Amino acid sequence: MAITLSQLAAELGLSTSTVSRAFSHPERLTAETVSRVLAAAQRHAYQPNRFAKALTTGKSMNIGLVVPDIANPFFPPLIKAAQHRARAHGYSVYVADGDENPKEEWNQLTHFAGHVDGVVLCSPRMSTTKLREIPAQDRVILVNREVPNMPCILIDSTVGMHQAVDHLVSLGHHEIAYIGGPARSWANTQRRKAVLERCRHHGLEPALLGPYVSTHEAGVDAARKLGRTAVTAAIAFDDVLAVGLVSGLQEAGLRVPEDLSVVGCDDVITEHTAPPLTSVSGGAATAGRVAVDALLSSFEGGSIGASRTVLPTELVVRRSTGPAR
Amino acid sequence: MAITLSQLAAELGLSTSTVSRAFSHPERLTAETVSRVLAAAQRHAYQPNRFAKALTTGKSMNIGLVVPDIANPFFPPLIKAAQHRARAHGYSVYVADGDENPKEEWNQLTHFAGHVDGVVLCSPRMSTTKLREIPAQDRVILVNREVPNMPCILIDSTVGMHQAVDHLVSLGHHEIAYIGGPARSWANTQRRKAVLERCRHHGLEPALLGPYVSTHEAGVDAARKLGRTAVTAAIAFDDVLAVGLVSGLQEAGLRVPEDLSVVGCDDVITEHTAPPLTSVSGGAATAGRVAVDALLSSFEGGSIGASRTVLPTELVVRRSTGPAR
DNA sequence: CTGAAAGCGCTAACAC
DNA sequence: GTGTTAGCGCTTTCAG
């Protein structure tokens, strides 16, 4: 149906190579030839066949994006940003859902092999050993996971978490709890550590709860545990847990922030909450954008190398935090 | 790097066609030949080149998915389900974000032309005229939008909305409001109508607010309007508005459901709310799955034709609704 | 500056 | 059953 390059060539009485060059190396042709070709292409709404192109050039103009769970509120903004960035450079993005399952994640990844130019692997659930076995290491960029010699984008929650602790302390809180995320999560380790060290900096010893999986229910559950303590403020591993926590507290008749202040992390579902959630904003969207940028620039400049980009975070104060009771 | 079919053939002393047939038409070959080929393929981790395949067969094994906003909580479950379904059939899915912009939506759509076998177009923002101009009408399936002669998947909120009204009436509510969604939304028209007719069925006349865009702020705004009325229960166009509404009410010192009952629609962010939101569950995920199924089956059985699938909805009662005050 | 020809990896007639 | 051959649509030497 669609017109092909050689049909265009035939119509113009030119060779296929000339027409091809009109697009890829116009400078090697007469200006007139180029404009004739372009005009004809326009007229017929000529669209080069991506498969033929990919076959000869070895470039697919596709990038793959693997996330553990598309519906996890952390990822949509990231996917969206990645998609926009890729699109702006003529790339299409495949989105694959790893189903929170290392094996499925691996399947998705290998399924991409050969038909993407690179892949953004977000918060992989697979083991480090497995990560190292991924073919074409130089065409994979990790988000939220660090493995020596693999390029990665990390969101450093440290600063944001420090700000969160400072914020709570300045509101008069002395009994602070950290609601831990998934046991093997890199982000959780980092966030817990940040809370711990900043609390100690203030001469406080935080209560450490968890590990919890990142679900609303887990947050509600944490609220039950918290109800029986002297804690007046809690910092949760992420927004999902934080919102569950708020929910559980309100269920128990406690008010946020009057009875207990709550801080989330990631800043992705803060709009859907009441009260609006104070959260450590990391810019999931930024991560998506930066990851694609790194990939794309590696396509031109060789490999990404062992690049390691750390994205900063900052506390966004809303209304789920207030003075200690 | 990756081994090719002809290299395999050479190694086995077979012709390329034989090796090719070992995969696509094994029944035409000796069982022994087939197993020899398969063994060798296994050994070399042979992966057919998708571009070469697409070029010869004309089948890309790709499907495109266009949504107005990936980060809109309605879509991630849909995308996820679509991706899983497609993957199960060997298809990859491109996800494109239309940015709530008819023009960008069109761009994304045309960008797909030629490298997908079909596309699922969700809640398109473009005009009906424009929709009709989409090339290859028989390879596009609409979700949440009805245009004569174009295949579509519709979520019929009518039943769910009726149940919502019945539920509220049975709780003793007589002053019910409908918080309207975007003016030109097909779903909004349908939902408003359903609420209206069911209220009248009960001899009630609902208050109609809106139109509102689907944002948290709009919901908060609606709460202000509602505060000054006799209304004791509100049904919102969607969960986003409903949650904003709850938020706004609580801000104003009103309790949900004690002072005002709230019902959402779509059932996509109900977990992230306090109290858990009573909502009309439509199964965005189901829509994604069904759309992909329809597309895939059309690839085999010719075109989708003017199929029109209507998905039912039902009320899921949680804790944002209670007896009238 | 432009054309001819080969080939990317695979499939599909058409032979034998 | 299996091999031969001819492309799919494009890019890219290599000539002229």
Side-chain angles (χ1 to χ4, degrees):
Chain A
M1 199 69 277
I3 193 172
T4 69
L5 204 168
S6 67
Q7 289 175 310
L8 260 191
E11 172 173 329
L12 294 167
L14 292 172
S15 72
T16 58
S17 22
T18 301
V19 177
S20 172
R21 278 189 280 253
F23 298 107
S24 33
H25 305 286
E27 72 282 4
R28 298 186 194 165
L29 263 42
T30 316
E32 198 212 319
T33 309
V34 173
S35 55
R36 274 184 62 214
V37 173
L38 262 34
Q42 184 81 47
R43 195 159 3 102
H44 294 292
Y46 166 71
Q47 287 290 132
N49 181 309
R50 293 185 44 129
F51 304 118
K53 199 167 204 163
L55 194 54
T56 49
T57 61
K59 285 220 54 184
S60 68
M61 298 305 278
N62 286 149
I63 80 162
L65 182 59
V66 184
V67 300
D69 178 11
I70 298 173
N72 175 330
F74 181 79
F75 298 109
L78 188 157
I79 297 171
K80 186 178 170 119
Q83 196 274 330
H84 269 107
R85 202 59 159 202
R87 178 73 180 72
H89 291 264
Y91 284 76
S92 300
V93 6
Y94 286 120
V95 172
D97 188 299
D99 231 2
E100 292 288 357
N101 174 342
K103 201 160 175 179
E104 177 60 10
E105 200 167 78
W106 179 263
N107 289 342
Q108 297 280 14
L109 211 49
T110 52
H111 179 70
F112 279 156
H115 69 287
V116 299
D117 293 330
V119 5
V120 177
L121 181 52
C122 302
S123 311
R125 305 312 196 210
M126 69 180 78
S127 69
T128 299
T129 315
K130 214 61 183 162
L131 280 172
R132 294 199 167 289
E133 288 173 16
I134 299 173
Q137 296 269 327
D138 56 330
R139 258 78 188 105
V140 175
I141 185 159
L142 263 28
V143 172
N144 274 345
R145 177 80 171 259
E146 187 168 21
V147 172
N149 295 321
M150 290 185 75
C152 61
I153 310 289
L154 301 170
I155 294 176
D156 183 3
S157 317
T158 306
V159 173
M161 282 297 182
H162 284 182
Q163 291 175 352
V165 172
D166 293 350
H167 168 63
L168 293 174
V169 169
S170 77
L171 286 168
H173 294 275
H174 294 97
E175 300 287 342
I176 297 175
Y178 174 70
I179 315 297
R184 288 168 43 201
S185 153
W186 175 85
N188 182 52
T189 305
Q190 189 193 46
R191 293 171 190 183
R192 177 168 25 75
K193 183 157 164 280
V195 170
L196 207 57
E197 74 189 13
R198 195 61 175 186
C199 279
R200 287 178 179 163
H201 167 86
H202 288 289
L204 306 174
E205 191 63 29
L208 299 178
L209 277 73
Y212 287 106
V213 288
S214 175
T215 66
H216 189 78
E217 289 72 29
V220 172
D221 190 54
R224 284 191 206 100
K225 299 242 175 20
L226 230 45
R228 297 195 287 268
T229 66
V231 166
T232 61
I235 299 175
F237 163 68
D238 70 4
D239 287 346
V240 175
L241 274 176
V243 172
L245 184 63
V246 170
S247 198
L249 291 169
Q250 294 181 335
E251 238 176 89
L254 296 173
R255 291 160 308 158
V256 176
E258 291 79 0
D259 297 312
L260 213 126
S261 287
V262 174
V263 179
C265 191
D266 291 342
D267 200 32
V268 287
I269 50 172
T270 49
E271 293 218 327
H272 304 144
T273 67
L277 193 67
T278 294
S279 186
V280 171
S281 184
T286 309
R289 185 156 32 74
V290 171
V292 168
D293 281 347
L295 220 41
L296 296 185
S297 76
S298 85
F299 296 160
E300 294 155 6
S303 86
I304 320 178
S307 85
R308 182 175 179 282
T309 304
V310 177
L311 265 26
T313 52
E314 64 173 339
L315 184 73
V316 176
V317 177
R318 296 203 183 80
R319 296 213 306 282
S320 64
T321 46
R325 63 165 180 261
Chain B
M1 197 70 275
I3 193 171
T4 70
L5 203 165
S6 67
Q7 288 176 310
L8 260 189
E11 172 173 328
L12 294 167
L14 293 171
S15 72
T16 59
S17 25
T18 301
V19 176
S20 172
R21 279 190 280 253
F23 298 107
S24 35
H25 305 289
E27 71 283 3
R28 298 186 194 165
L29 264 42
T30 316
E32 198 212 321
T33 311
V34 173
S35 55
R36 274 183 62 214
V37 173
L38 262 36
Q42 183 82 46
R43 196 162 0 105
H44 294 292
Y46 166 70
Q47 287 290 131
N49 181 309
R50 295 188 37 133
F51 304 118
K53 200 168 203 164
L55 193 55
T56 51
T57 62
K59 285 221 53 184
S60 68
M61 297 305 278
N62 286 149
I63 80 164
L65 183 59
V66 184
V67 300
D69 177 12
I70 297 174
N72 176 330
F74 182 79
F75 298 109
L78 190 157
I79 297 172
K80 184 176 171 123
Q83 195 274 332
H84 270 108
R85 201 58 159 205
R87 178 74 179 72
H89 291 264
Y91 283 77
S92 300
V93 5
Y94 285 120
V95 172
D97 189 298
D99 233 3
E100 294 286 358
N101 175 341
K103 201 159 175 179
E104 177 60 11
E105 201 167 78
W106 178 263
N107 288 343
Q108 297 280 14
L109 212 49
T110 51
H111 179 71
F112 280 155
H115 69 286
V116 300
D117 294 330
V119 6
V120 177
L121 181 52
C122 302
S123 312
R125 305 310 196 212
M126 68 181 79
S127 69
T128 298
T129 314
K130 213 64 183 160
L131 280 172
R132 293 199 168 291
E133 287 173 17
I134 298 173
Q137 295 269 326
D138 55 330
R139 258 77 187 104
V140 175
I141 186 159
L142 261 31
V143 172
N144 275 344
R145 176 80 172 258
E146 187 169 20
V147 172
N149 295 320
M150 290 185 75
C152 61
I153 310 289
L154 300 170
I155 295 178
D156 182 2
S157 317
T158 306
V159 173
M161 281 298 182
H162 284 183
Q163 292 175 354
V165 172
D166 293 351
H167 168 64
L168 293 174
V169 168
S170 78
L171 287 169
H173 295 275
H174 293 98
E175 300 289 343
I176 298 176
Y178 174 71
I179 314 298
R184 289 168 44 201
S185 153
W186 175 86
N188 181 52
T189 306
Q190 189 194 46
R191 293 172 189 182
R192 177 168 25 76
K193 183 158 165 279
V195 170
L196 207 57
E197 75 189 12
R198 196 60 174 188
C199 279
R200 287 177 178 165
H201 167 87
H202 289 289
L204 306 174
E205 192 61 29
L208 299 178
L209 277 74
Y212 287 106
V213 289
S214 175
T215 65
H216 189 79
E217 288 72 30
V220 172
D221 190 53
R224 282 189 208 105
K225 299 243 174 21
L226 231 44
R228 297 194 287 268
T229 67
V231 166
T232 61
I235 299 176
F237 162 69
D238 70 3
D239 287 348
V240 175
L241 274 176
V243 172
L245 183 62
V246 170
S247 199
L249 291 168
Q250 295 181 334
E251 238 175 88
L254 296 172
R255 290 160 308 156
V256 175
E258 291 78 0
D259 297 312
L260 212 129
S261 287
V262 174
V263 179
C265 192
D266 291 342
D267 200 33
V268 288
I269 50 171
T270 50
E271 293 217 328
H272 304 143
T273 67
L277 193 66
T278 294
S279 186
V280 172
S281 183
T286 308
R289 186 156 32 72
V290 171
V292 168
D293 281 346
L295 219 41
L296 295 185
S297 76
S298 84
F299 295 160
E300 293 155 7
S303 86
I304 322 178
S307 86
R308 181 174 179 283
T309 303
V310 177
L311 266 25
T313 51
E314 63 172 340
L315 184 73
V316 177
V317 177
R318 296 202 183 80
R319 297 213 307 281
S320 65
T321 46
R325 63 165 183 259

